[in-house]
Amino acid sequence: MHKTAFLFRIVTSICLASWLGVAHAEVKMTDAWVRASTPGQSVGAAYVTLSSPQDVTLVYVETERAGSVEMHSMTMENGIMKMRSMEELPVPVGKPVKLAPGGLHLMLFELPTPFKTGEQVKFRLCFKDKQGKITEQFVAMPVKTAP
Ligand SMILES: [Cu+2]
């Protein structure tokens, strides 16, 4: 295979829609953690606080430790907690977005193995800026039973 074509393929596979270009990562990720899970449990949750120096949108999240990851919101409706899947999660400049129990969270599906307290789980997050550029960032989240 021609070398430039090969490199192009690597870049295009980095994120969904990354043909628009890849910029440098700048979103600060703090207080990240994954909730410990029990054997046989197929669904889990992860939390992180996102702070960005520019307006970006979280468009994609993945980890090798889950079949898929969704961004969820959680709201009270008539006394019942309801979760909704979000296509994207805006992270406005200067306004940290806190994913925490009882609110926004990353929902992890199809867990092949349980998350054990003390281990680190790697995640890949893709952020899109106002120009449509996709930036991928990696974060290792510790597994905890509670924050
Ligand atoms: Cu959820």
Side-chain angles (χ1 to χ4, degrees), residues 43-45 70-74 82-85 103-109:
V43 178
E70 287 182 9
M71 296 163 251
H72 278 189
S73 65
M74 205 178 227
K82 284 199 171 168
M83 292 198 296
R84 278 207 183 82
S85 176
L104 295 166
H105 57 279
L106 298 176
M107 197 92 185
L108 317 174
F109 294 94

Side-chain angles (χ1 to χ4, degrees), residues 62-143:
E62 70 172 12
T63 173
E64 284 182 353
R65 295 290 300 279
S68 64
V69 181
E70 287 182 9
M71 296 163 251
H72 278 189
S73 65
M74 205 178 227
T75 49
M76 269 297 227
E77 276 172 36
N78 304 319
I80 300 162
M81 276 288 209
K82 284 199 171 168
M83 292 198 296
R84 278 207 183 82
S85 176
M86 305 167 77
E87 281 290 301
E88 341 193 283
L89 175 61
V91 184
V93 57
K95 285 186 185 168
V97 175
K98 199 178 168 78
L99 283 74
L104 295 166
H105 57 279
L106 298 176
M107 197 92 185
L108 317 174
F109 294 94
E110 299 159 56
L111 309 181
T113 51
F115 295 121
K116 291 183 197 144
T117 306
E119 65 170 329
Q120 299 277 327
V121 181
K122 279 185 202 151
F123 284 80
R124 187 167 74 101
L125 291 83
C126 294
F127 296 95
K128 186 170 74 179
D129 71 11
K130 278 194 282 191
Q131 285 73 45
K133 275 190 184 174
I134 306 281
T135 299
E136 66 166 354
Q137 284 190 233
F138 295 88
V139 65
M141 303 192 189
V143 177

Side-chain angles (χ1 to χ4, degrees), residues 1-14:
M1 194 189 302
H2 193 269
K3 198 179 177 187
T4 50
F6 179 64
L7 284 174
F8 182 72
R9 272 178 213 201
I10 290 173
V11 170
T12 52
S13 68
I14 284 172

